[in-house]
Amino acid sequence: MKEITLGIDIGGTNTVFGAVDLDGKSYFEGRIPTPEYKSFPEFVQKIHSVLGDLIQNLNFPHKLIGIGIGAPNGNFYTGEVNLAPNLPWKGRLEVAKEFSEVFGLPTWVTNDAKAAAIGEMMFGAAKGMRNFIVITLGTGLGSGFVVNGDLIYGHDGFAGEFGHVIVHPDGRMCGCGRRGCLETYVSATGIKRTVYKLLADNLEPSKLRSVSFDQLSADMISKAAKEGDQIAIEAFEYTGKILGSKLADAVAICSPEAIILFGGLAKAGELIIDPVKKHMEENLLPIFRSKISILQSGIHGSNGAVLGAAALAWKQLGYSVKS
Amino acid sequence: MKEITLGIDIGGTNTVFGAVDLDGKSYFEGRIPTPEYKSFPEFVQKIHSVLGDLIQNLNFPHKLIGIGIGAPNGNFYTGEVNLAPNLPWKGRLEVAKEFSEVFGLPTWVTNDAKAAAIGEMMFGAAKGMRNFIVITLGTGLGSGFVVNGDLIYGHDGFAGEFGHVIVHPDGRMCGCGRRGCLETYVSATGIKRTVYKLLADNLEPSKLRSVSFDQLSADMISKAAKEGDQIAIEAFEYTGKILGSKLADAVAICSPEAIILFGGLAKAGELIIDPVKKHMEENLLPIFRSKISILQSGIHGSNGAVLGAAALAWKQLGYSVKS
């Protein structure tokens, strides 16, 4: 009888889910469009029915033992999602309670970046590590800090907002209402803003001059940089410089073994890792130099968020990392 | 039979020690001048003999159960002190091993700021808290970050170097060889430097104009501020602004319940706490606002460092906080 957990990643556009065993093997992946469900209970019922069909098709003896959920603003302590700007249902959603009741399984909730960190610890690049940081580089910048083998949730469950440490007090406007937050520079959106600033400040020809802000994507910038586009290369250098210098501060606090980059922009590989590493090293206290790895996510395929959410359930059920 | 632990605070000038019970009651305090002992083993033997006499005078049945030591560069994992610039013995000192052999007791070592954090958790302002930050404001700035009820030691034992996060990349020269570290602004030495900068930049009369840099102390600045000296008041405001804005970054990472200020400069009370609180709040993400207390140390008397060191032993022996 194989034990499996369900991982559910609730996103503004799609909600993706799967079944994952303790080796990190994923057995299927389901997907529903999040905004199509008028109420949150209706949404949960739909996932229950789609998952029920998928699970019935598993052709081996199995036992579902828990559910892990990654959701925007997901709070581990309360199991709730509160005021998530890009979910269709407003107010306070009792996510863990609702799923637990409908599925009859113990359910845990956290935000997507913290789920990613647990995924890296159970199944990815942080296997066997007890002190590391995961930085998720998507539309924004999320983070999960692990110390002594446990995630930092903080007093209220809202720790890990590294995207909102301040780079420049009078810097770029952030969605949080303040200025100069790290994620306004270091994220898929941040590097777009940097490209536009560089196009404004410089005269170099660049294929990116023909792309509108709305059309521009981190992938395009990455592709241009790989083809030698100076503006794109400079944008990665600038992004890495800012992330590297702020990571040096995070290292001074936490002294991690490694920092793992996860998500869309991290797929640029050495384009982003090299400048991050260089500028982090330049800003580290001597005692920390040449000790900390900068790694790409060890979770492969499109289901990283699902694996992370399932890993949360495995961890909370008391299963430790297989090495 | 009352169980007691020994707390030892090794400093560059004096080494202070005492015996502490699980209520945080201290029974005596001994002190020897650190630099007078040619070798580290000789120094340990001297403490053993002085402590032996003090312990013999305890007039109640007691049992010594462990030793906690706070020392510059003290590493919890290795029990060693390595390359401490202000201790007379060079190289790598096997502090825990040496004390443990001479006293026949289990011994733990950490640095003074981390010992202070454990002291606050066991006996001081952080009783019952599981997520908080202690900032020690002495010659430099030390820190102890507690998450999930445990200190962040980091991968190598060197976590908690909040004094070396960067405020200004081209800022004040720091003893670590870099520029712009937090402790060059926020510490007893930092506020002296700020007073001198303010005296240079402004024309206001100030009683501090008659004091040389070498003579100037944080106490003098505090006294002048309390008497209405504008330069001194401005120096506290500037110090609090920088600490407050950097604490907002630390809160984004750790989401603590409280931040506790410890050590000489913290004794200035609201002179430092008010601007720290104001500027931290201004820089916090909305989700963290008006939730985090800034407190003065709850360890009173001159033996805070000894209590902290003894608390380390209590904690490692598995005793939890009495409430």
Side-chain angles (χ1 to χ4, degrees), chain B residues 21-295:
Chain B
D21 69 17
L22 191 50
D23 294 319
K25 182 166 158 50
S26 173
Y27 290 95
F28 56 72
E29 198 170 291
R31 174 180 301 256
I32 62 171
T34 311
E36 282 194 8
Y37 302 88
K38 288 215 180 63
S39 75
F40 184 67
E42 199 183 314
F43 166 79
V44 178
Q45 286 296 345
K46 178 67 183 179
I47 294 177
H48 185 248
S49 102
V50 176
L51 262 171
D53 294 345
L54 290 166
I55 290 165
Q56 281 220 322
N57 291 332
L58 288 179
N59 56 1
F60 55 85
H62 61 268
K63 187 183 173 198
L64 290 179
I65 59 170
I67 303 176
I69 299 176
N73 286 10
N75 187 303
F76 176 74
Y77 293 139
T78 63
E80 296 176 345
V81 166
N82 196 14
L83 301 174
N86 55 352
L87 292 187
W89 320 289
K90 297 308 158 203
R92 190 179 293 273
L93 307 172
E94 293 183 299
V95 177
K97 187 161 171 278
E98 195 92 28
F99 274 90
S100 177
E101 282 173 9
V102 170
F103 283 78
L105 289 169
T107 304
W108 294 273
V109 171
T110 191
N111 74 16
D112 39 356
K114 292 193 187 76
I118 297 173
E120 296 292 344
M121 181 160 52
M122 295 283 293
F123 306 131
K127 260 191 195 174
M129 292 185 194
R130 291 177 53 79
N131 293 274
F132 64 94
I133 301 170
V134 169
I135 303 289
T136 65
L137 299 168
T139 311
L141 185 155
S143 67
F145 284 69
V146 172
V147 301
N148 301 327
D150 280 311
L151 209 60
I152 305 185
Y153 289 108
H155 173 236
D156 52 6
F158 295 115
E161 289 290 352
F162 194 59
H164 295 279
V165 302
I166 303 290
V167 176
H168 295 301
D170 304 314
R172 295 180 183 169
M173 196 71 219
C174 182
C176 76
R178 304 178 308 157
R179 282 191 175 271
C181 293
L182 182 59
E183 75 172 21
T184 67
Y185 299 89
V186 181
S187 63
T189 319
I191 198 168
K192 278 176 61 171
R193 294 168 85 163
T194 297
V195 163
Y196 263 59
K197 182 188 163 12
L198 291 170
L199 290 173
D201 288 350
N202 296 282
L203 288 171
E204 276 116 330
S206 165
K207 67 188 319 186
L208 301 176
R209 290 197 185 273
S210 65
V211 187
S212 74
F213 192 88
D214 285 345
Q215 285 178 313
L216 187 63
S217 72
D219 277 352
M220 281 180 196
I221 303 168
S222 172
K223 187 159 175 284
K226 283 174 186 156
E227 290 168 4
D229 188 289
Q230 279 307 307
I231 293 286
I233 290 169
E234 177 71 15
F236 274 103
E237 168 70 19
Y238 184 80
T239 306
K241 179 176 180 172
I242 291 178
L243 180 55
S245 68
K246 283 295 163 184
L247 283 176
D249 285 354
V251 167
I253 295 174
C254 296
S255 186
E257 181 172 356
I259 292 155
I260 296 158
L261 305 185
F262 180 103
L265 195 57
K267 291 185 184 140
E270 62 196 21
L271 271 176
I272 182 81
I273 287 179
D274 288 354
V276 168
K277 175 119 190 128
K278 176 178 156 220
H279 292 284
M280 182 183 80
E281 288 290 335
E282 282 177 11
N283 284 280
L284 284 176
L285 263 185
I287 202 170
F288 297 119
R289 283 180 201 151
S290 306
K291 285 165 87 170
I292 299 153
S293 314
I294 307 271
L295 305 172

Side-chain angles (χ1 to χ4, degrees), chain A:
Chain A
M1 180 81 76
K2 196 172 200 56
E3 293 180 316
I4 53 178
T5 67
L6 300 176
I8 301 175
D9 177 55
I10 302 178
T13 310
N14 286 300
T15 293
V16 191
F17 35 83
V20 176
D21 69 18
L22 190 50
D23 294 319
K25 182 164 158 50
S26 173
Y27 289 95
F28 56 74
E29 197 170 291
R31 174 180 300 257
I32 63 170
T34 311
E36 281 193 9
Y37 302 89
K38 289 215 179 62
S39 75
F40 184 68
E42 200 182 313
F43 166 78
V44 178
Q45 286 296 345
K46 179 67 183 179
I47 293 177
H48 185 247
S49 102
V50 175
L51 262 171
D53 293 345
L54 290 166
I55 289 165
Q56 280 219 322
N57 291 333
L58 288 179
N59 57 0
F60 55 85
H62 60 269
K63 187 182 173 199
L64 290 178
I65 59 169
I67 303 175
I69 299 176
N73 286 11
N75 187 302
F76 176 74
Y77 293 138
T78 64
E80 296 176 345
V81 166
N82 196 13
L83 303 173
N86 55 352
L87 292 187
W89 321 288
K90 296 308 158 202
R92 191 179 291 273
L93 308 172
E94 292 182 299
V95 177
K97 186 160 172 278
E98 195 93 29
F99 274 90
S100 177
E101 281 173 9
V102 169
F103 282 78
L105 288 170
T107 304
W108 293 272
V109 171
T110 192
N111 74 16
D112 39 357
K114 292 193 187 76
I118 297 173
E120 295 293 344
M121 181 160 53
M122 294 282 294
F123 306 131
K127 260 190 195 174
M129 292 186 194
R130 291 177 53 79
N131 293 276
F132 64 95
I133 301 170
V134 169
I135 303 289
T136 65
L137 299 169
T139 312
L141 184 156
S143 67
F145 284 68
V146 173
V147 301
N148 302 326
D150 280 311
L151 210 60
I152 304 186
Y153 289 108
H155 174 236
D156 53 5
F158 294 116
E161 289 290 352
F162 194 59
H164 295 279
V165 302
I166 303 291
V167 176
H168 296 302
D170 304 314
R172 294 180 184 170
M173 196 72 220
C174 182
C176 75
R178 304 178 308 157
R179 281 190 175 275
C181 293
L182 182 60
E183 75 172 20
T184 68
Y185 299 89
V186 182
S187 63
T189 319
I191 198 168
K192 277 176 61 171
R193 294 168 85 163
T194 296
V195 163
Y196 263 59
K197 181 187 164 13
L198 292 170
L199 290 174
D201 288 350
N202 296 282
L203 288 171
E204 275 116 331
S206 164
K207 66 189 319 189
L208 301 175
R209 291 197 186 273
S210 66
V211 187
S212 75
F213 192 88
D214 285 345
Q215 286 178 312
L216 186 62
S217 71
D219 277 353
M220 282 182 196
I221 303 169
S222 171
K223 188 159 173 285
K226 282 173 188 158
E227 290 167 6
D229 187 289
Q230 279 308 307
I231 293 287
I233 290 169
E234 177 71 16
F236 274 103
E237 167 70 18
Y238 185 80
T239 305
K241 178 176 180 173
I242 291 178
L243 179 55
S245 69
K246 285 293 164 183
L247 283 177
D249 285 354
V251 167
I253 294 174
C254 296
S255 186
E257 181 172 356
I259 293 156
I260 296 158
L261 306 185
F262 181 102
L265 194 57
K267 291 183 184 141
E270 62 196 22
L271 270 176
I272 181 83
I273 286 178
D274 289 354
V276 168
K277 176 119 190 129
K278 176 178 155 219
H279 292 285
M280 183 184 80
E281 287 290 337
E282 282 178 10
N283 283 280
L284 284 176
L285 263 184
I287 202 170
F288 298 119
R289 282 178 202 152
S290 305
K291 285 166 86 169
I292 298 153
S293 315
I294 308 270
L295 305 171
Q296 248 183 305
S297 167
I299 304 282
H300 303 292
S302 60
N303 56 6
V306 170
L307 272 180
L312 170 64
W314 281 115
K315 183 166 193 330
Q316 291 310 123
L317 287 161
Y319 290 79
S320 56
V321 184
K322 282 198 183 178
S323 52

